[in-house]
Amino acid sequence: MRARTRTARSRVVVLAAVASLGAGLLAGCADDGKDDSDSSSSGGGGKTKITLGLFGTAGFEESGLYKEYEKLHPDIDIQQTVVERNENYYPALLNHLTTNSGLQDIQMVEVGNIAEIVGTQADKLTDLSKYAKSSDYLDWKWQQATTSGGQTVGVGTDIGPMAICYRKDLFEEAGLPTDREEVGKLWAGSWDKFIDVGKQYKAKGAKGTTFLDSPGGLIQAILSSEKDRFYDSSGKVIYKTNPAVKSAFDLTAAAAEDGLVGNQTQFQPAWDTTIANSKFAAMSCPPWMLGYIKGKSKDDAAGKWDIAQAPKSGNWGGSFLSVPKSGKNVEEAAKLAAWLTAPEQQAKLFGVQGSFPSTPAAYTSSEVTGAKNDMTGDAPIGPIFAEAAKNIPVQTIGPKDQIIQQGLTDNGVILVAQGKSPKEAWDNAVKTIDNALDQ
């Protein structure tokens, strides 16, 4: 899924707020023009109706995949309901799973929430290993949705292999190379080298600009490249004692103190303005970010961006499709979920939507190898992201990863960019996170 509601921008939403969302939340906000008020098993003309509950912009309808499946299966009628933001969607989904009611035939789950679903709701979900082939998916992606007992409760849609998007014109003005291979060599293998490039940019870069867009984007990229982050393999919370987390925080805080990053929170209006006004030279960039850049940039920015490998490969984003056992059409829903996430369909979705496949077989498809983006001109974005995807570490995902990441970002490193000391920022982040984990 190409996301605007990925882990780094998802806000902490307490479960107590679910009641205010309304029991019909997951059946609201339909964007396909169909009547979703009836969740019965029969669609129009006696067809079997399969409903999907999604968030953000999954792209299944926009890419024509629903129509293609309906053509292959004339007895199927597919209807989707969409909630714009995962922070509104997920608490309601969790509530519906807990009560085992009000669920769609297929429900999307964001990667930051999959560990909680696997750990607490697996008994409510269908084992999709009977419908999809594990060998089609990246092993780490398949394992994220699989219980210790071998039940696979979700099939992977997209992933978010991390690269670095940069402005060629601003790099050139700062005396830095602009060729993507040469740029990647500047910081290959080390986030410290990446920050050193930022210092070079600050010395000669355009006045009124920063090297990076935000502290949140930097710490997200660094932590996404670490195998162990917030939880260990036993499920214990380790973010406060994990040297990798503190190192990422300290490096980001130092960059903020040195003025190498902007002082805005990502995905907020003020941050959008920095994109439109070319106020920074580089940013952490999973595939879906290209669409965001395009949507917020002025017309004259087209072709001025390029993309290079990140210092270390990481993953930012991705989702799963799950099938509740309580659905009226479990068998047909499971078949549809497997089909939508098969390599051929994921390749088509990337060609239209920019959602990068979690299925390696798609990486040699023409939709991936020939992919281009208006912002990055002739850059071979498909092969660049595919190379990054091959080197993503197998991470331990915990049930409250989103809360911890958000605390480190919006209650932590952003404060340094706004004038607080690194220690004050760290202490505030820890206090915020621990309070949230105790709820």
Side-chain angles (χ1 to χ4, degrees), residues 123-383:
D123 62 322
K124 312 288 179 55
L125 300 170
T126 303
D127 185 357
L128 295 177
S129 65
K130 301 174 183 177
Y131 301 91
K133 296 187 297 182
S134 62
S135 58
D136 280 346
Y137 304 81
L138 290 163
D139 180 65
W140 59 266
K141 182 73 171 181
W142 183 268
Q143 290 303 317
Q144 283 179 336
T146 301
T147 68
S148 59
Q151 178 189 356
T152 300
V153 302
V155 283
T157 56
D158 61 322
I159 59 173
M162 192 78 70
I164 301 296
C165 287
Y166 64 96
R167 285 284 297 248
K168 292 181 288 187
D169 53 340
L170 293 177
F171 266 45
E172 182 176 21
E173 186 173 348
L176 295 169
T178 59
D179 175 79
R180 66 185 70 95
E181 297 293 334
E182 294 301 316
V183 169
K185 290 178 182 178
L186 292 175
W187 51 61
S190 170
W191 289 107
D192 287 317
K193 290 181 180 178
F194 186 65
I195 297 303
D196 287 342
V197 175
K199 293 176 181 178
Q200 296 175 47
Y201 180 86
K202 182 182 178 182
K204 297 182 179 180
K207 186 177 181 180
T209 68
T210 57
F211 175 56
L212 294 173
D213 65 303
S214 68
L218 176 57
I219 194 172
Q220 174 78 41
I222 299 172
L223 289 173
S224 77
S225 67
E226 296 290 341
K227 180 181 182 297
D228 296 310
R229 302 184 303 168
F230 310 141
Y231 289 78
D232 65 17
S233 58
S234 71
K236 178 183 177 182
V237 177
I238 61 169
Y239 84 94
K240 283 186 290 190
T241 58
N242 183 359
V245 173
K246 190 58 164 62
S247 176
F249 190 96
D250 289 345
L251 187 61
T252 303
E257 281 192 308
D258 289 344
L260 306 184
V261 300
N263 62 357
Q264 304 296 337
T265 300
Q266 287 188 315
F267 306 105
Q268 297 300 310
W271 180 73
D272 292 346
T273 300
T274 67
I275 298 176
N277 294 333
S278 305
K279 291 297 184 180
F280 59 87
M283 67 188 306
S284 308
C285 197
W288 51 265
M289 188 67 81
L290 291 173
Y292 199 93
I293 293 172
K294 181 178 179 179
K296 301 302 178 181
S297 295
K298 296 178 180 178
D299 292 341
D300 63 357
K304 292 182 179 179
W305 289 86
D306 210 323
I307 184 167
Q309 293 293 344
K312 295 181 180 180
S313 294
N315 183 72
W316 183 5
S319 299
F320 300 82
L321 297 182
S322 62
V323 177
K325 291 179 180 178
S326 62
K328 293 181 171 63
N329 303 293
V330 172
E331 184 81 10
E332 293 299 335
K335 291 177 181 177
L336 174 58
W339 185 86
L340 286 171
T341 60
E344 297 81 4
Q345 281 64 255
Q346 290 209 33
K348 293 175 184 176
L349 195 58
F350 177 69
V352 174
Q353 190 73 13
S355 302
F356 200 78
S358 63
T359 51
Y363 300 167
T364 57
S365 68
S366 59
E367 290 93 341
V368 174
T369 59
K372 298 290 188 295
N373 181 275
D374 290 345
M375 294 293 101
T376 54
D378 63 353
I381 60 173

Side-chain angles (χ1 to χ4, degrees), residues 12-61:
V12 177
V13 181
V14 295
L15 194 56
V18 169
S20 68
L21 297 175
L25 176 61
L26 295 182
C29 304
D31 70 352
D32 58 2
K34 299 180 181 180
D35 181 6
D36 292 291
S37 60
D38 176 19
S39 60
S40 67
S41 60
S42 297
K47 296 181 179 181
T48 298
K49 183 173 73 173
I50 303 177
T51 59
L52 292 91
L54 311 172
F55 64 88
T57 308
F60 299 134
E61 183 181 38

